[in-house]
Amino acid sequence: MPKLISCVLGILVLLLSTGVFGRKVSTDPRCKVPVTPPSPPPAPPPPGPLPPHHYKETVQLDSSNAVSLSYNILEDSLWDIQIAQNKTSPEAKTSMSGWIGVGWSNAGKMQYGDFVIGYPGCARVVSMDGGSPPPNGDAGFEIHDAAFFEDSDIRVLRFKRGEKSSIPGHPWLCTGNGRDCPIGNTVSWLWAGGAAYPKSCSDVFTTSMFHNQFYGHSNASVPAQRNSATIDSPTPLHAERTAFGFRPRTVEGTKAAAQRTTKHTAQQIQERHTPVSFSVGKNETYVHPTSGYTVHKTTFFSTPLPLAPGDVVWTFPDLTPIPMPKGKYAVLGQANSEIVDCENNSIPLSHVYNHHWIFNPSSGHTNFACPEAGLDFVFGVGAESRNTPWPFPRDHGYIVEDGIEWSANIHLLNTIGLAGGAGAAKECIECWYAPQKQCGNDDNGTFACCYSDSRCSTAKPPTKDDIVVYYLTYTIEYTYDLEKIVPIDVAIFMTPDCSVDYSVIPPSEPNAAAQGYPSDGPPGPEHLARDTWTIPHDGEIVFAVAHYHTGAINLSVYVNDEFMCASLPEYGTTPDKPGDELGYLTGISPCVAEGATPPFPAPAMNKAMQLKRGDVLRLDGWYWIGDSDKRIAPTPGGPHLIVMQYLIAAFRATQ
């Protein structure tokens, strides 16, 4: 009997130490799931009712910045409408000239949305008129006694308008507060914009702007809309660049795709953003073995990231400052990143997929290769990070001026226990639409289906026992001995047509033509995206590597139609092994690596790529889109959504 009791106790100890599902349960306090404090009770409603026929809505943007909308129905059936924005903000985000506006639509269908927008010298009405942005149509009503003004603390737009539009199908002005809406619920919209606005009251709206404050407010229970009035001018295509591929995009198209996933209401930001911060975990210092300068090596750890199966981490850069060294310094190579558990063990991509992490400086850097794309990161990027070397040449570095601050866009997805078989993880990490996600079918294959509020579907509802605490780490090497460092700059060449992302769909797919994919692309199950750039100045690329996603064949680089080098993918072969995950892209070889020791094998260049003014740099980005792809089995082949083809290049200027 004593032996039996001892055996039973031993089994219990083993079960308790490994967990119900075989996962080790650590006593390390870093492994504990953080307890979310209870939400504070809601604020009490203001005392007393509003006057008859008067409705007021207030949108809180932060602790001291609000946009309010006030309706007052007058006796002559006109509605007196006033929109006010408090511009006072500790961050001074809106203490500048700008614009505000309001819009209405039928049940959130913005193709017939009507807008009143005010900015210095103008208050005007425009409409979508049954089309798509930008709004330049007739709204079917006039505004009276309109005024827009600003002072040091407040921005106000005031006007009167009738309840009805004279054009069939356009929304009536009803608020949902007990009044009948004859043609469906009407959604009210409030905006607060930054300093960009048209020069006159007659300018035609062109393409969407990035607001520094944006809020869309719904009076009806319909999905929030991301369409908005648009008021800045498009950047023209670079005259010497051409694009070829199944889905070439104009600059306007590229911006429109980006805008679908960059405009957010204050509530959406709260729901779609995962708060993440970092602190120093480890500092090391050593002397460079051949050049003699002091090298600092710092590793940063994130706050705990407790994730259940299907959970998604998405951070907005404006809300995700990251610590970096102080003063003026030179970064000597890529910032290496890892996803680890609470005991610092590497986590396989098949558990938590590292879609991307990109670090943006606050100023002093613009991606000169594709400035219109708005993608100005210096360090990053994704799943290949573990096995993709980023060595700048010896004694070269990216110079960071004193006072530069950094922010991060981080995207991680927990793919454990998903519903849907072998293709479930692919659909999750490629941001496919699913009914439970907070996105629409039109957002399929965009980041709108990959924010923190769009969980991937799981085979069973996760419980608190399924939550695991993870951490994101990054390590940088840098020096303050700048007199011994040759400065470099970083550019990101993006194909097709400087697109942030695109999708590769076989022409045989039933919906390929409807999505703009012609059937006259390259023969066979391969997809080609091609772009060319005319080089404006002499220069040298001293390091270059591609960034692409699962399914990629390679990214090849040509100068004046002569092949120079290629970045090749590495695919994993071992289930759930960190760094060699079966069916996942686990590494990308450099295209250029000047002075690499040991040298990289062909098709890499181990010397600088010389570029002269007038040279034509060409990228050919290839994906496999056949039904079967043995490299990624058991993951299915076929289409791949939200893919990329970037060449991240470090330049040493010669002029």
Side-chain angles (χ1 to χ4, degrees):
M1 181 63 71
K3 290 183 178 180
L4 177 61
I5 293 173
S6 176
C7 181
V8 171
L9 289 174
I11 292 173
L12 287 173
V13 169
L14 178 63
L15 288 173
L16 290 172
S17 65
T18 60
V20 178
F21 298 103
R23 189 175 69 242
K24 184 176 180 181
V25 178
S26 174
T27 57
D28 190 323
R30 283 167 30 95
C31 298
K32 294 182 179 179
V33 177
V35 177
T36 303
S39 301
L50 290 171
H53 307 302
H54 186 99
Y55 310 126
K56 184 175 182 181
E57 302 161 358
T58 299
V59 177
Q60 193 71 27
L61 297 177
D62 57 39
S63 60
S64 62
N65 192 333
V67 178
S68 63
L69 172 63
S70 177
Y71 299 92
N72 187 24
I73 305 175
L74 305 178
E75 294 300 324
D76 58 0
S77 296
L78 284 177
W79 289 49
D80 187 5
I81 299 172
Q82 178 169 299
I83 310 165
Q85 181 194 10
N86 178 3
K87 295 164 53 182
T88 305
S89 169
E91 296 82 16
K93 290 182 179 178
T94 57
S95 60
M96 62 181 76
S97 183
W99 63 279
I100 53 178
V102 64
W104 302 271
S105 69
N106 293 325
K109 297 177 180 178
M110 299 303 294
Q111 63 265 37
Y112 289 102
D114 298 328
F115 306 89
V116 177
I117 302 169
Y119 49 89
C122 180
R124 59 190 291 192
V125 57
V126 288
S127 172
M128 297 282 276
D129 202 21
S132 57
N136 281 297
D138 182 8
F141 65 86
E142 295 180 351
I143 53 177
H144 308 276
D145 301 330
F148 175 87
F149 64 89
E150 299 179 290
D151 60 25
S152 60
D153 298 320
I154 200 167
R155 180 183 299 150
V156 174
L157 170 64
R158 185 171 185 176
F159 59 94
K160 298 174 183 176
R161 63 155 289 188
E163 183 179 32
K164 302 177 182 180
S165 168
S166 63
I167 301 176
H170 282 243
W172 287 27
L173 187 59
C174 50
T175 67
N177 289 294
R179 295 179 56 82
D180 293 332
C181 297
I183 55 175
N185 289 335
T186 298
V187 179
S188 299
W189 283 80
L190 303 177
W191 291 281
Y197 51 83
K199 293 182 179 179
S200 75
C201 217
S202 59
D203 283 356
V204 174
F205 291 132
T206 53
T207 188
S208 297
M209 67 175 290
F210 291 94
H211 313 177
N212 62 337
Q213 297 285 1
F214 171 82
Y215 194 97
H217 179 69
S218 169
N219 283 317
S221 57
V222 297
Q225 303 296 301
R226 285 180 296 280
N227 297 328
S228 81
T230 56
I231 62 174
D232 69 338
S233 298
T235 304
L237 278 169
H238 193 280
E240 287 83 18
R241 194 175 67 246
T242 59
F244 167 76
F246 280 168
R247 186 171 64 172
R249 286 178 177 168
T250 62
V251 170
E252 290 81 359
T254 300
K255 281 193 171 184
Q259 290 288 47
R260 285 205 309 272
T261 56
T262 53
K263 291 182 179 176
H264 312 275
T265 69
Q267 182 178 354
Q268 286 169 340
I269 287 176
Q270 184 177 7
E271 294 170 348
R272 296 174 175 178
H273 170 77
T274 301
V276 180
S277 59
F278 292 84
S279 59
V280 174
K282 185 179 182 181
N283 275 313
E284 302 175 66
T285 302
Y286 65 92
V287 176
H288 193 280
T290 57
S291 300
Y293 52 81
T294 301
V295 178
H296 303 267
K297 184 177 180 180
T298 303
T299 299
F300 299 87
F301 279 83
S302 74
T303 47
L305 299 171
L307 300 180
D311 276 354
V312 178
V313 171
W314 174 276
T315 73
F316 291 104
D318 289 348
L319 302 178
T320 314
I322 59 170
M324 292 287 269
K326 302 296 183 182
K328 186 176 182 178
Y329 57 94
V331 180
L332 303 176
Q334 169 69 293
N336 297 314
S337 179
E338 271 270 30
I339 303 170
V340 299
D341 65 13
C342 57
E343 296 180 330
N344 212 30
N345 300 309
S346 294
I347 300 300
L349 296 171
S350 50
H351 289 191
V352 179
Y353 186 78
N354 182 359
H355 191 284
H356 68 261
W357 55 279
I358 55 177
F359 293 173
N360 309 294
S362 58
S363 63
H365 176 78
T366 299
N367 177 21
F368 59 81
C370 290
E372 69 270 30
L375 198 65
D376 296 325
F377 72 85
V378 175
F379 304 113
V381 280
E384 75 276 13
S385 296
R386 282 194 186 105
N387 298 329
T388 300
W390 252 67
F392 293 157
R394 189 183 71 184
D395 304 339
H396 287 63
Y398 179 84
I399 307 299
V400 181
E401 297 292 336
D402 187 17
I404 296 296
E405 298 179 347
W406 294 76
S407 61
N409 173 218
I410 300 167
H411 189 199
L412 313 175
L413 304 99
N414 188 334
T415 59
I416 297 173
L418 300 183
K426 171 185 174 178
E427 295 183 8
C428 176
I429 64 182
E430 292 184 358
C431 306
W432 290 38
Y433 165 77
Q436 85 282 354
K437 292 187 174 183
Q438 301 301 310
C439 63
N441 199 22
D442 290 343
D443 297 315
N444 187 37
T446 72
F447 287 123
C449 290
C450 259
Y451 294 127
S452 298
D453 63 349
S454 286
R455 299 184 67 258
C456 297
S457 180
T458 53
K460 63 176 183 178
T463 68
K464 64 179 182 179
D465 294 330
D466 298 322
I467 298 175
V468 179
V469 176
Y470 301 100
Y471 294 82
L472 181 66
T473 74
Y474 63 94
T475 302
I476 63 168
E477 294 194 19
Y478 57 99
T479 183
Y480 291 106
D481 298 332
L482 301 182
E483 69 279 0
K484 298 183 178 181
I485 299 300
V486 178
I488 61 171
D489 197 4
V490 175
I492 309 165
F493 296 86
M494 306 154 66
T495 184
D497 199 24
C498 279
S499 297
V500 173
D501 61 82
Y502 63 110
S503 294
V504 289
I505 296 179
S508 58
E509 287 285 320
N511 62 343
Q515 297 197 28
Y517 299 86
S519 58
D520 57 353
E526 298 172 340
H527 181 285
L528 170 65
R530 173 179 292 167
D531 271 280
T532 61
W533 287 257
T534 298
I535 302 301
H537 304 288
D538 292 0
E540 296 175 298
I541 297 179
V542 296
F543 178 81
V545 67
H547 169 64
Y548 41 59
H549 291 178
T550 297
I553 300 173
N554 68 64
L555 179 66
S556 299
V557 180
Y558 299 78
V559 175
N560 300 328
D561 292 328
E562 178 184 354
F563 175 78
M564 304 301 291
C565 63
S567 274
L568 304 181
E570 178 181 342
Y571 288 95
T573 60
T574 307
D576 299 328
K577 180 181 178 180
D580 189 37
E581 297 90 338
L582 177 67
Y584 287 83
L585 175 71
T586 58
I588 300 175
S589 66
C591 192
V592 180
E594 182 188 61
T597 306
F600 290 99
M605 293 179 62
N606 291 282
K607 61 180 181 179
M609 182 186 297
Q610 304 292 328
L611 296 172
K612 298 294 184 182
R613 180 180 180 181
D615 283 348
V616 177
L617 178 73
R618 187 180 101 207
L619 300 188
D620 282 3
W622 293 91
Y623 273 87
W624 180 270
I625 52 177
D627 292 336
S628 176
D629 188 345
K630 294 181 180 180
R631 304 171 303 163
I632 64 174
T635 301
H640 292 285
L641 308 186
I642 204 163
V643 300
M644 302 172 183
Q645 280 283 11
Y646 300 170
L647 182 73
I648 305 170
F651 275 82
R652 176 177 61 222
T654 56
Q655 286 190 1

